[in-house]
Amino acid sequence: MKKFLLAVVLLTATAVSSVNAQSLLRWGVKGGANLGKLDGKGFDDGFNLGYHLGGFVQLNLVKGFGVQGEAIFSSTKTKTTDNFSDIYEGVSTADNRKEVKLNYLSIPILANIDLGTPRLKLQLGPQFGAMVSDKKVFGAAKNAFNGGEISGVAGLWLQLPIINVSARYIIGFNDVQNLSSVTNSGNWKNQAIQLGVGVTL
């Protein structure tokens, strides 16, 4: 009888610790749409459709608060305007109305704050991006973009059973242009609205 009771206690403790571990640390995959734009002289003023895909890890530190780290591949695009070569001296007219496609590997580090229920969270934090490929803007010139970006992220995360839904606004803090040889270049900064759906494990 004692052995049976001891076995029940051990099994119960193991089950409880397993549940606690699962609630403390969760992970999953996500993907969805990017509506991105590049703020800068000579670029179309409007959001363009792209996509993102990646994974995330959630660490719940205390009741109502946790952190979330992600690794996201993100693709956005924009177009130069008809007067692009007039704004940037020495640039070929062939670069007018040219599509610019930017691909980033982004690492957001976000605070998760419960909004009255653990299913709905406010997400805030920085995002660090490294450009992994681009389409050159200037026909015979060097790469027009810096390789790194720092952004701010604010959004909402809805955690349904297994499925998660997210909506975010992302704004770039640093100038991503790399045109030391071109005068009057101004600042180029990325913005994006990101809508995602994923699976939480």
Side-chain angles (χ1 to χ4, degrees):
M1 186 65 177
K2 290 182 179 180
K3 290 182 178 180
F4 175 75
L5 290 176
L6 180 60
V8 170
V9 170
L10 289 175
L11 287 173
T12 303
T14 302
V16 170
S17 63
S18 176
V19 170
N20 287 339
Q22 290 177 4
S23 62
L24 176 68
L25 184 66
R26 304 187 75 181
W27 61 279
V29 294
K30 56 173 290 194
N34 290 335
L35 296 172
K37 64 180 290 189
L38 183 62
D39 281 334
K41 295 179 181 179
F43 293 97
D44 274 350
D45 186 20
F47 287 90
N48 296 277
L49 184 63
Y51 67 93
H52 69 276
L53 182 66
F56 65 90
V57 175
Q58 294 177 335
L59 180 61
N60 299 311
L61 299 175
V62 295
K63 185 177 180 180
F65 179 81
V67 293
Q68 179 167 319
E70 300 179 359
I72 303 292
F73 174 82
S74 178
S75 180
T76 60
K77 59 184 178 181
T78 187
K79 282 186 177 180
T80 58
T81 57
D82 290 328
N83 62 344
F84 190 80
S85 60
D86 297 330
I87 296 172
Y88 300 99
E89 298 176 5
V91 175
S92 169
T93 55
D95 292 309
N96 292 340
R97 304 307 306 173
K98 187 171 184 179
E99 184 178 274
V100 183
K101 187 174 182 181
L102 304 175
N103 297 327
Y104 284 91
L105 177 62
S106 300
I107 310 292
I109 306 295
L110 307 174
N112 281 344
I113 304 168
D114 289 0
L115 296 178
T117 169
R119 293 210 178 274
L120 183 61
K121 302 178 187 296
L122 173 66
Q123 296 189 313
L124 299 168
Q127 175 173 285
F128 308 94
M131 185 178 291
V132 292
S133 67
D134 68 72
K135 186 173 183 179
K136 292 183 178 180
V137 179
F138 304 108
K142 65 179 182 178
N143 193 332
F145 291 87
N146 283 325
E149 180 184 43
I150 300 174
S151 307
V153 179
L156 295 174
W157 180 280
L158 177 62
Q159 183 61 62
L160 303 173
I162 302 178
I163 302 297
N164 61 71
V165 180
S166 59
R168 295 175 181 172
Y169 175 67
I170 303 169
I171 184 167
F173 292 147
N174 65 304
D175 185 2
V176 296
Q177 65 89 9
N178 187 32
L179 299 175
S180 58
S181 61
V182 178
T183 59
N184 193 31
S185 59
N187 290 334
W188 297 356
K189 293 184 179 181
N190 285 311
Q191 289 187 55
I193 297 169
Q194 199 173 78
L195 307 173
V197 177
V199 177
T200 306
L201 303 172

